[in-house]
Amino acid sequence: MIGAPTDIGAKHRGSAMGPEAIRVAGAEGTLRRLGLEVEDWGNVSGPANPDAPPIGGYRHLKETVAWCEAARDAVYKALRAGVFPILMGGDHALAIGSVAAIARYCAELDTPFSVLWLDAHADFNTPQTSPSGNIHGMPVAIIAGQGPPQLTDIGSDKPMIEAARIIQLGIRSVDAVEKGNVVDSKLEVYDMRQIDEIGMLETMQRVLSRVREVGGHLHVSFDVDFLDPTIAPGVGTTVAGGPTYREAQLCMEMIYDSGLMASLDLMELNPAFDDKNRTAELIVDLLGSLFGEQILSRHELGR
Ligand code: MG
Ligand code: MG
């Protein structure tokens, strides 16, 4: 477990408190109860949030680079040590750091990788589509090679990953111009309409079969706003109409069952918007499912 306590790339302040809230909700104990060995490496550090306006289309670019590099170095250290990194944000810009680490690690092993992006948003903005310049709306574009070189170049290769190997799930808020970019970039998108039409079960079967096709390492980048705000109010950018509690659990259980996940981001939990830490507790509950907690095992039930 690695904490990255910053809201440097976000619209609303408060996700800097996310790592501590996840700890308070019992993440370490939940993983230990599943028989896992857990090490909490504490928090990486970086510059304070200056709350400054955007410069050249990006807000807090210099500070975001410093935080992403710190996250990258910690995640890379974990991967090299042969342990499974869980990066706790912090805002979603930090995923640029974890994906940079994974890209470098996988390049060294000459193994492919894919990213499963769980989010209400496509996070594919550019300064042209995001007047606010908040970088947490841009990480998918940046890891796919579109954005300021200070960030697109923090991995060993550019792009860090081809857009076609980024799979987005739960999307339900995409700006008009961003839409065109998402389509042109050939991201693999499973939006809420698809989940409505074919259900989470079949959607996840398709997602995981795509991940198997790519092979290698699967990185899961989980933005709390993926979840429906009625169950997860503790995030600064809620969008109505997300996965329900059961849909989210099924999604996590199926990721676990696939045995494919090799690294994880838990992003955008914002205790300033939460209600008595209930969103953090839900995240820890879902974390348990991602690591094998089940009502009864399918094996025990003979399925
Ligand atoms: Mg989001
Ligand atoms: Mg996001």
Side-chain angles (χ1 to χ4, degrees):
M1 292 166 54
I2 300 159
T6 182
D7 40 27
I8 199 73
K11 179 174 167 198
H12 298 286
R13 300 289 308 269
S15 57
M17 299 184 281
E20 217 44 38
I22 294 172
R23 290 185 175 105
V24 169
E28 189 172 339
T30 294
L31 295 171
R32 283 192 195 282
R33 274 193 296 282
L34 294 166
L36 298 163
E37 270 181 54
V38 188
E39 284 176 33
D40 188 340
W41 287 6
N43 293 337
V44 299
S45 58
N49 189 329
D51 233 335
I55 302 171
Y58 299 100
R59 197 158 161 260
H60 304 154
L61 178 58
K62 182 168 59 100
E63 293 83 0
T64 305
V65 171
W67 275 101
C68 288
E69 287 177 342
R72 174 198 64 192
D73 294 347
V75 169
Y76 181 75
K77 187 176 160 199
L79 292 167
R80 290 303 309 180
V83 299
F84 185 115
I86 300 174
L87 181 67
M88 306 179 289
D91 71 78
H92 215 170
L94 291 155
I96 300 163
S98 46
V99 173
I102 293 149
R104 180 171 161 202
Y105 176 72
C106 288
E108 284 164 1
L109 296 182
D110 199 19
T111 189
F113 76 103
S114 54
V115 171
L116 176 54
W117 199 268
L118 307 177
D119 207 311
H121 309 92
D123 288 353
F124 208 86
N125 274 301
T126 60
Q128 291 72 43
T129 61
S130 166
S132 70
N134 295 318
I135 298 176
H136 77 155
M138 309 178 182
V140 174
I142 289 170
I143 61 175
Q146 297 181 38
Q150 295 93 318
L151 280 170
T152 54
D153 293 354
I154 69 162
S156 47
D157 292 310
K158 180 182 171 180
M160 297 176 202
I161 182 168
E162 279 170 47
R165 291 180 177 185
I166 303 169
I167 304 158
Q168 298 199 316
L169 181 70
I171 308 301
R172 55 195 183 275
S173 172
V174 188
D175 307 328
V177 187
E178 190 188 11
K179 258 179 210 168
N181 294 345
V182 166
V183 172
D184 292 345
S185 69
K186 308 217 166 16
L187 294 171
E188 181 110 359
V189 178
Y190 297 84
D191 62 6
M192 282 313 298
R193 164 105 191 234
Q194 176 133 35
I195 297 172
D196 290 341
E197 286 183 357
I198 64 170
M200 187 59 89
L201 173 70
E202 198 180 330
T203 304
M204 284 308 293
Q205 285 168 341
R206 291 186 191 180
V207 165
L208 293 166
S209 108
R210 173 69 188 134
V211 172
R212 265 188 215 95
E213 225 173 80
V214 173
H217 184 116
L218 169 63
H219 176 64
V220 176
S221 198
F222 180 3
D223 182 324
V224 172
D225 71 27
F226 167 68
L227 304 165
D228 194 87
T230 56
I231 57 167
V235 63
T237 47
T238 52
V239 185
T244 64
Y245 178 79
R246 274 312 315 163
E247 284 170 333
Q249 285 288 10
L250 180 60
C251 169
M252 305 303 156
E253 288 162 357
M254 289 180 75
I255 292 171
Y256 171 75
D257 288 347
S258 77
L260 296 165
M261 182 179 70
S263 50
L264 173 67
D265 299 326
L266 297 176
M267 295 294 166
E268 296 283 351
L269 175 66
N270 189 331
F273 288 80
D274 206 1
D275 169 21
K276 295 181 180 164
N277 222 27
R278 69 181 261 230
T279 309
E281 284 165 9
L282 172 61
I283 294 310
V284 168
D285 198 12
L286 294 170
L287 178 69
S289 298
L290 273 172
F291 282 90
E293 190 135 61
Q294 296 188 345
I295 302 166
L296 285 167
S297 81
R298 300 293 93 187
H299 176 72
E300 285 162 341
L301 293 170
R303 288 176 195 160

